[in-house]
Amino acid sequence: MVEPINVALLGLGVVGSGVARALLEKGEAIAQRLGRPIRLRRVLVRTPDKPRPVFVEPSLLTTDAATVLEDDQVHIVVEVMGGLDPAYRYIREALGRGRYVVTANKEVMARHGPELISLAHERGVDLLYEASVGSGIPIIAPLKRDLAANTVRGLRAIINGTTNYVLTRMDREGLDFRSALAQAQELGYAEPDPTNDIEGHDAAYKLAILASLAFYTHVPPDEVYREGISRLAAQDFRYARELGYAIKLLAIARCDDGPDGAALEARVHPVLLPQEALLAKVDGVLNAIEVEGDLVGRVVFQGPGAGASPTASAVLADVLDAAQALAHGRPPTPWRAQVSLPIKKMDDLVCRYYIRMQVTDRPGVLAQIARCFGDNQVSIASVIQKETNEAAQTAEIVIMTHAAREAAVRATIADVEKLDVVVEIGNFLRVEA
Ligand code: NAP
Ligand code: HSE
């Protein structure tokens, strides 16, 4: 009789239930492919008698982490609990005990990935985390393997489905931010407290993971520059469309050789993106990651960025990989941070900018504003003035700049804000080529 590979699940929520269901439904096919069956041996939960979308033998459920982590018969630990603690401690303990670990946890991997991967390799096992970015989209394995011969120049990604859904509704239906978010919450795409997604934290964790892999470094998530989407207004989408752009929350990482050596851009913020760009066409809850390598050129990975089945697809791919390594005695594929790269300051970013402002509608106003731009060496590319509010005697102006340093643009905005003809700066967005 062939010995099974035993799996312990830490968590039986959305993802854990998807993994358990796929293991039950595809058990035979998996056993045939692998040459050994995979058996669910223990499942850690908080509330054992809660109704679940999948039937799991009640005797497998436990609330005692020690009985799972200390079980010598468990070969692979799958962490799908989420959060930093106790997930990080459990992953460390499992690796320390020489277990393969598969995780979907972006927060743990962004904060502690390099340390945990080193621990795994010291113990002759591996830590696999395909589901931590882009759910079912293969991106971690391609970065580690298929693109390994490339020097990655940069990557740009839509890696938060909630915000992409909100932006798509704002664009297509002319909704304001609050209404689009409420719609996303009603449909279950956005959580009751949507801060993590809306303010870009989720995307920053995922970018830290991708950039660390792509550039063989460690990008701490707190060093990723981050802006969310809550400042966007319905008219930003109208102006963007008129100018030939879509608005997307992009996660961007680039490595450039500067006068002081190589340095990284790592940033998450809304951008104006040309409508014909591939990423501009990625709508709704879909995710997409575009990688530019010196050999391959530009490749785009697109698909569902959340959900029980797509995430189970990625988790189980890692489980199969670990099971194959165990079954055939294959050593884990090493990956290590090799270089320490400084993260560039946003002040040094050079790109085009979109600036929307509300001004008093009277003669000479544009000239005063234009002087602020000129004084800071920021060149204006185009100006739109629309929607004059005759009662309030105000007008809305949108200025597009030529490429300029962010420090200069911020100094310009500070000067413009001081003019008594300027009511408010409505928004300020970076433009991606
Ligand atoms: P979830 O539905 O909230 O499930 C969490 C599970 O972990 C629950 O079964 C919960 O037990 C258990 N759990 C939490 N804390 C625990 C503790 N201290 N002790 C024991 N059990 C505990 O979360 P999820 O959506 O499945 O997400 C899991 C992970 O996958 C997260 O890292 C998330 O970022 C990642 N991920 C999720 C998706 C997605 O589409 N949902 C996509 C990609 C990645 P009870 O059921 O008893 O409460
Ligand atoms: N909350 C994430 C999103 C899914 O909206 O994309 C899990 O990573």
Side-chain angles (χ1 to χ4, degrees):
M1 193 146 116
V2 188
E3 282 294 303
I5 302 260
N6 292 324
V7 168
L9 271 182
L10 310 183
L12 191 62
V14 174
V15 179
S17 298
V19 170
R21 185 185 299 113
L23 267 181
L24 292 173
E25 288 173 0
K26 295 172 155 283
E28 249 174 61
I30 288 174
Q32 265 180 10
R33 275 176 218 165
L34 189 66
R36 278 170 78 173
I38 292 188
R39 192 176 67 186
L40 203 53
R41 186 171 160 89
R42 291 192 190 273
V43 182
L44 179 73
V45 290
R46 256 181 320 214
T47 321
D49 45 9
K50 188 164 149 181
R52 313 257 169 203
V54 61
F55 175 78
V56 171
E57 198 56 58
S59 63
L60 300 185
L61 299 183
T62 176
T63 56
D64 180 11
T67 60
V68 181
L69 297 170
E70 290 168 12
D71 183 343
D72 286 341
Q73 299 301 308
V74 168
H75 301 107
I76 303 170
V77 172
V78 176
E79 185 278 308
V80 281
M81 298 164 52
L84 204 49
D85 191 63
Y88 163 68
R89 277 189 291 122
Y90 293 171
I91 292 174
R92 243 174 67 126
E93 181 163 351
L95 293 172
R97 288 173 178 274
R99 309 272 184 273
Y100 276 78
V101 174
V102 172
T103 180
N105 195 318
K106 67 216 124 194
E107 199 175 344
V108 168
M109 288 313 297
R111 293 204 179 281
H112 302 290
E115 165 215 328
L116 293 171
I117 292 166
S118 290
L119 174 61
H121 294 163
E122 265 169 39
R123 306 306 306 235
V125 290
D126 215 343
L127 170 61
L128 300 158
Y129 50 103
E130 185 62 67
S132 63
V133 182
S135 174
I137 306 172
I139 183 62
I140 304 291
L143 278 174
K144 279 199 221 168
R145 206 197 81 93
D146 310 280
L147 299 171
N150 286 262
T151 299
V152 173
R153 295 194 177 114
L155 58 90
R156 305 192 300 182
I158 294 173
I159 37 180
N160 184 268
T162 306
T163 44
N164 204 44
Y165 179 84
V166 170
L167 297 182
T168 304
R169 293 270 74 82
M170 289 178 79
D171 183 34
R172 290 210 190 135
E173 286 159 39
L175 297 180
D176 62 30
F177 169 72
R178 290 283 146 213
S179 314
L181 176 60
Q183 215 182 72
Q185 284 171 318
E186 269 163 39
L187 290 166
Y189 293 140
E191 294 185 22
D193 176 0
T195 315
N196 227 15
D197 292 319
I198 294 306
E199 297 305 337
H201 297 279
D202 177 80
Y205 285 133
K206 292 169 178 169
L207 182 68
I209 295 171
L210 292 181
S212 297
L213 263 178
F215 302 109
Y216 292 90
T217 188
H218 175 49
V219 178
D222 299 333
E223 288 190 29
V224 174
Y225 176 81
R226 180 186 53 74
E227 269 174 32
I229 62 166
S230 51
R231 277 190 302 123
L232 290 165
Q235 65 262 47
D236 289 321
F237 289 83
R238 290 201 298 274
Y239 290 124
R241 198 170 318 124
E242 183 175 336
L243 292 158
Y245 294 96
I247 298 181
K248 292 289 178 193
L249 181 75
L250 280 199
I252 301 168
R254 284 200 183 97
C255 189
D256 291 316
D257 277 326
D260 305 320
L264 263 192
E265 273 174 34
R267 48 196 170 98
V268 170
H269 53 75
V271 300
L272 296 196
L273 192 62
Q275 278 163 355
E276 62 278 9
L278 276 175
L279 291 179
K281 300 178 182 29
V282 176
D283 283 335
V285 288
L286 285 179
N287 281 198
I289 302 117
E290 178 188 273
V291 183
E292 194 177 344
D294 60 343
L295 299 178
V296 73
R298 222 171 250 195
V299 284
V300 180
F301 302 80
Q302 182 187 326
S309 290
T311 314
S313 161
V315 168
L316 282 173
D318 282 347
V319 168
L320 278 171
D321 204 33
Q324 248 149 9
L326 281 160
H328 305 299
R330 198 189 72 205
T333 321
W335 178 88
R336 277 177 210 291
Q338 292 169 354
V339 285
S340 169
L341 289 172
I343 310 286
K344 282 192 195 171
K345 292 190 187 73
M346 285 302 282
D347 268 357
D348 294 331
L349 179 70
V350 176
C351 67
R352 300 181 69 205
Y353 291 83
Y354 157 106
I355 302 150
R356 173 171 58 81
M357 61 189 85
Q358 199 73 29
V359 301
T360 310
D361 196 7
R362 65 171 140 90
V365 169
L366 259 182
Q368 287 185 56
I369 293 168
R371 194 169 312 118
C372 296
F373 280 75
D375 288 349
N376 287 287
Q377 303 300 310
V378 177
S379 173
I380 293 174
S382 68
V383 179
I384 301 177
Q385 178 177 333
K386 270 207 185 140
E387 298 183 17
T388 302
N389 182 335
E390 278 180 32
Q393 291 199 312
T394 60
E396 192 156 61
I397 293 179
V398 167
I399 296 181
M400 293 289 283
T401 74
H402 286 295
R405 248 186 104 228
E406 179 139 336
V409 174
R410 286 195 180 273
T412 305
I413 291 173
D415 288 349
V416 168
E417 264 178 327
K418 283 183 211 141
L419 298 174
D420 57 8
V421 293
V422 172
V423 181
E424 64 164 2
I425 302 293
N427 212 344
F428 142 84
L429 293 167
R430 300 168 189 90
V431 180
E432 268 290 299

